[in-house]
Amino acid sequence: MKSESNDKCSSEKKTKASELRSAFEIFDAGFFSDSTVLELAKSATEINVPIIKANRRLVASENGGLSDPSCLIFNPEWIGEHAVKPNATKKFNYPSLSGLQKPKAEEDIAFMSVLELGELIRTKQITSQELVRIFLERLKRYNHVLESVITVTDELAYKQAREADELIRNGEYLGPLHGIPYGLKDIIAVPGYKTTWGSRNFRNQVLNIEAWVYKRLKFAGAVLVAKLVTGSLAYDDIWFGGRSKNPWNIEEFSTGSSAGPAASTSAGMVPFAIGSETAGSITLPAARCGVTALCPTFGTVGRTGVMSISETLDKLGPICRSAADCAIVLDAIRGKDPADISSREIPLLDPFSVDIRKLTVGYMDDADMEVVNVLKEKGVNMVPFKLNYTVDSVQGILTFSMNVEMLAHFDEWQRSGQDDAHEAQEQWPTVLSCTRVIPAVDYVQAQRARGKLIREVKESFTVDAFIGNATDWERVCLGNLVGLPVIVVPTGFKNISNPEGARRRTPVTTGIYARPNHDHTALALAMAYQSVTDHHKQRPPIDNLGPSDTI
């Protein structure tokens, strides 16, 4: 009797699977197996339908689409004919560090700021080749612990360093990034080197493309020493070589797909790195690893030569140890990329010249009050603040926006079955399989809901900036959908339950959010806070973990 029941159940499942596969043929997606289509039907019911209904309630109640137009607007501008706004390309006025002396210990050199290292280069107290040697040694020394490096670019680094030193000898100084080593997240292409996207499917891929951001840094005289870990296909911290760890606690993972840039910068393996953010990929690992990082206004930095997840969300930004360093790096990489129609000449003010006493800054319920009090003492008008909006499907809107655009970029990857070899099966393979059954009309409804969210946030943004938790998922989604720049700032540490003698701690951070195109405001406030605090100068205990810690 039991056997008959099992046979009947199995027969019903096969019939249902067959029907579903026939339905998928309409989407030209009949390549899924029986077990997969049954799981997709379950996922679509549990995940997709609630989001679809929420977006319909928000923006699809009236015919004609006039009241809530999409935030996705066709740009008729022809590439290369962009009109530059006045002062859009004016360089920032960096502070002087006259009298700075080179430390004796290489460990101290490794944790100097970009500005400080630049001054040592400018005054010929150190050469770029010396810096390259120091940081290459650290990259190789600590990578076996942190698993944060994919490719060390020794040959290129020394070549670029020799060129930088030759310019200095000839009396030519390019600015504060001249001769400074750095790392790139390995979704950014550099000719002659692998660009693996963190995936075993692409681990031998060489893209003979010079990414725009790499060109900008090369023009500024910076020296590439490593391609750093990206989570596989820019999702979290799992990649084909392992899983990147947090230098402050090696039993904890870095989290976020810019895991390598954040961990390597935190550990003094590079002075700065370039990460990317679609939904938390800069902010989350920066917070976990206790570094300062800027997720800039969408369109500030060109994305040519960079693996794309979502063309309406992807951003490149600096991961550094201080806000001043973030400003310096941003100044070098910002501007119109002729091949990226989303990039713009954003007329940022000089963050080093912003008078913060003229600013009104809100603080949310989850703001770090030390930051609030420090800025208040510096003359900033600090007021309680809440960001009000009625859109109740923010996370769902981001899910539809990111996943649909991601699947468009990796359609063949899924169709050819390469997703079966993915490092983390519960990540992109599961997500993108479910995405296959999002109707186009409901993707558009999500964009209309996104437009509604943008208008509501704009109306509610009554301050120059606000301070709040940088890792709250709802806020991460909202900030990326609206295009708010945010800088993650270390504000202290919490003790954790350590083995006896261990020095591991958990970094505490906060976020400073500004209006779109006002990255300078967030940077200026962060620099003001860091001018009287030293949380961002602390070093993780990777050389002195304690007697109970093993590597």
Side-chain angles (χ1 to χ4, degrees):
M1 193 75 177
K2 189 175 182 180
S3 176
E4 289 179 10
S5 177
N6 288 341
D7 289 345
K8 182 179 180 182
C9 182
S10 176
S11 176
E12 288 175 351
K13 283 186 176 180
K14 287 182 178 179
T15 300
K16 185 177 180 180
S18 177
E19 292 171 349
L20 285 169
R21 290 187 67 183
S22 296
F24 275 110
E25 294 289 349
I26 299 172
F27 299 99
D28 190 27
F31 51 87
F32 290 117
S33 66
D34 286 359
S35 60
T36 300
V37 294
L38 289 172
E39 182 61 32
L40 289 184
K42 182 174 179 289
S43 297
T45 300
E46 294 176 353
I47 300 173
N48 291 2
V49 172
I51 299 171
I52 290 168
K53 288 182 176 179
N55 291 334
R56 285 174 180 163
R57 285 196 304 269
L58 284 170
V59 296
S61 59
E62 296 180 22
N63 293 322
L66 299 178
S67 59
D68 289 300
S70 170
C71 67
L72 302 180
I73 301 171
F74 170 67
N75 183 353
E77 178 183 294
W78 286 28
I79 292 175
E81 295 188 358
H82 184 79
V84 179
K85 297 179 181 179
N87 299 320
T89 57
K90 186 177 180 181
K91 304 300 288 182
F92 298 160
N93 184 26
Y94 312 119
S96 172
L97 295 179
S98 59
L100 181 71
Q101 295 297 310
K102 174 186 172 183
K104 294 181 179 179
E106 290 188 352
E107 172 83 5
D108 295 332
I109 293 172
F111 282 94
M112 293 182 82
S113 71
V114 167
L115 262 180
E116 291 169 334
L117 292 173
E119 181 65 8
L120 294 184
I121 291 279
R122 189 187 70 82
T123 55
K124 301 180 182 179
Q125 296 183 61
I126 199 168
T127 66
S128 179
Q129 291 176 79
E130 287 179 88
L131 286 181
V132 164
R133 177 188 59 78
I134 290 170
F135 285 105
L136 285 176
E137 287 179 359
R138 293 183 67 85
L139 285 160
K140 296 172 183 178
R141 177 180 179 181
Y142 296 118
N143 185 49
H144 75 287
V145 181
L146 299 180
E147 297 178 7
S148 62
V149 183
I150 292 182
T151 304
V152 176
T153 58
D154 308 59
E155 185 177 347
L156 176 63
Y158 277 115
K159 175 180 180 293
Q160 292 182 341
R162 287 192 295 271
E163 292 170 354
D165 291 338
E166 181 67 21
L167 288 175
I168 289 289
R169 282 192 293 271
N170 293 334
E172 187 175 352
Y173 180 63
L174 301 178
L177 293 184
H178 187 130
I180 306 299
Y182 74 98
L184 288 174
K185 183 175 179 178
D186 201 33
I187 62 170
I188 302 171
V190 175
Y193 287 90
K194 293 177 182 178
T195 302
T196 70
W197 300 342
S199 168
R200 64 168 61 101
N201 292 136
F202 303 97
R203 64 184 302 172
N204 295 315
Q205 173 178 256
V206 177
L207 301 173
N208 288 315
I209 304 168
E210 199 169 43
W212 177 254
V213 69
Y214 170 65
K215 286 182 183 179
R216 298 289 290 178
L217 288 167
K218 189 167 66 170
F219 181 76
V223 175
L224 180 67
V225 291
K227 304 290 292 297
L228 303 174
V229 163
T230 172
S232 186
L233 303 185
Y235 193 134
D236 205 36
D237 52 21
I238 299 172
W239 59 294
F240 65 81
R243 192 171 187 183
S244 297
K245 298 178 180 66
N246 174 12
W248 284 99
N249 181 2
I250 60 167
E251 291 187 347
E252 186 177 62
F253 300 113
S254 298
T255 194
S257 71
S258 296
S264 298
T265 303
S266 175
M269 295 158 71
V270 289
F272 75 93
I274 302 299
S276 71
E277 166 124 359
T278 307
S281 287
I282 287 176
T283 52
L284 297 180
R288 175 68 60 87
C289 297
V291 291
T292 307
L294 176 70
C295 176
T297 299
F298 178 82
T300 303
V301 183
R303 302 168 302 180
T304 299
V306 180
M307 191 204 90
S308 178
I309 291 181
S310 170
E311 292 173 61
T312 68
L313 290 167
D314 294 342
K315 297 162 289 295
L316 298 174
I319 296 178
C320 306
R321 286 192 288 273
S322 73
D325 285 357
C326 285
I328 290 166
V329 176
L330 180 68
D331 198 23
I333 62 177
R334 66 190 175 106
K336 176 65 179 175
D337 172 357
D340 180 359
I341 62 173
S342 292
S343 68
R344 295 168 293 143
E345 294 285 3
I346 296 176
L348 297 177
L349 296 179
D350 183 350
F352 296 99
S353 302
V354 172
D355 186 351
I356 61 172
R357 295 169 299 177
K358 295 180 180 180
L359 300 176
T360 296
V361 176
Y363 57 93
M364 306 190 83
D365 291 342
D366 57 6
D368 190 300
M369 292 309 294
E370 182 189 75
V371 181
V372 174
N373 293 331
V374 165
L375 294 178
K376 188 173 182 179
E377 290 173 4
K378 283 185 162 289
V380 179
N381 179 30
M382 304 298 300
V383 298
F385 179 70
K386 184 177 181 180
L387 201 58
N388 296 307
Y389 52 93
T390 66
V391 175
D392 60 0
S393 59
V394 171
Q395 296 176 37
I397 295 167
L398 184 129
T399 295
F400 270 28
S401 301
M402 177 175 69
N403 295 353
V404 169
E405 294 176 29
M406 175 65 175
L407 184 53
H409 294 127
F410 284 88
D411 189 18
E412 177 59 25
W413 177 76
Q414 186 187 74
R415 288 177 178 274
S416 62
Q418 294 181 68
D419 56 343
D420 291 338
H422 192 69
E423 290 74 9
Q425 283 297 305
E426 74 282 3
Q427 293 181 358
W428 281 130
T430 298
V431 168
L432 297 184
S433 293
C434 184
T435 301
R436 180 66 66 176
V437 293
I438 296 175
V441 65
D442 291 299
Y443 170 76
V444 173
Q445 304 295 28
Q447 302 315 309
R448 296 174 69 202
R450 182 178 178 184
K452 184 179 183 70
L453 176 67
I454 291 170
R455 291 185 288 276
E456 289 183 350
V457 169
K458 179 182 178 182
E459 184 176 347
S460 179
F461 210 120
T462 56
V463 291
D464 295 299
F466 70 84
I467 299 169
N469 189 315
T471 59
D472 175 82
W473 184 239
E474 172 84 359
R475 197 169 302 148
V476 167
C477 293
L478 181 144
N480 280 287
L481 287 170
V482 175
L484 302 180
V486 57
I487 186 165
V488 178
V489 180
T491 60
F493 299 90
K494 291 189 299 185
N495 290 326
I496 58 176
S497 180
N498 289 329
E500 182 180 353
R503 296 178 59 239
R504 298 200 298 266
R505 291 187 288 173
T506 297
V508 178
T509 59
T510 199
I512 302 176
Y513 298 77
R515 300 177 182 185
N517 299 346
H518 286 72
D519 306 52
H520 52 271
T521 301
L523 286 164
L525 291 166
M527 287 190 287
Y529 169 71
Q530 291 184 339
S531 70
V532 294
T533 59
D534 65 356
H535 306 303
H536 61 292
K537 296 181 180 179
Q538 302 305 306
R539 304 177 188 179
I542 51 176
D543 270 326
N544 184 17
L545 294 170
S548 300
D549 291 301
T550 57
I551 297 177

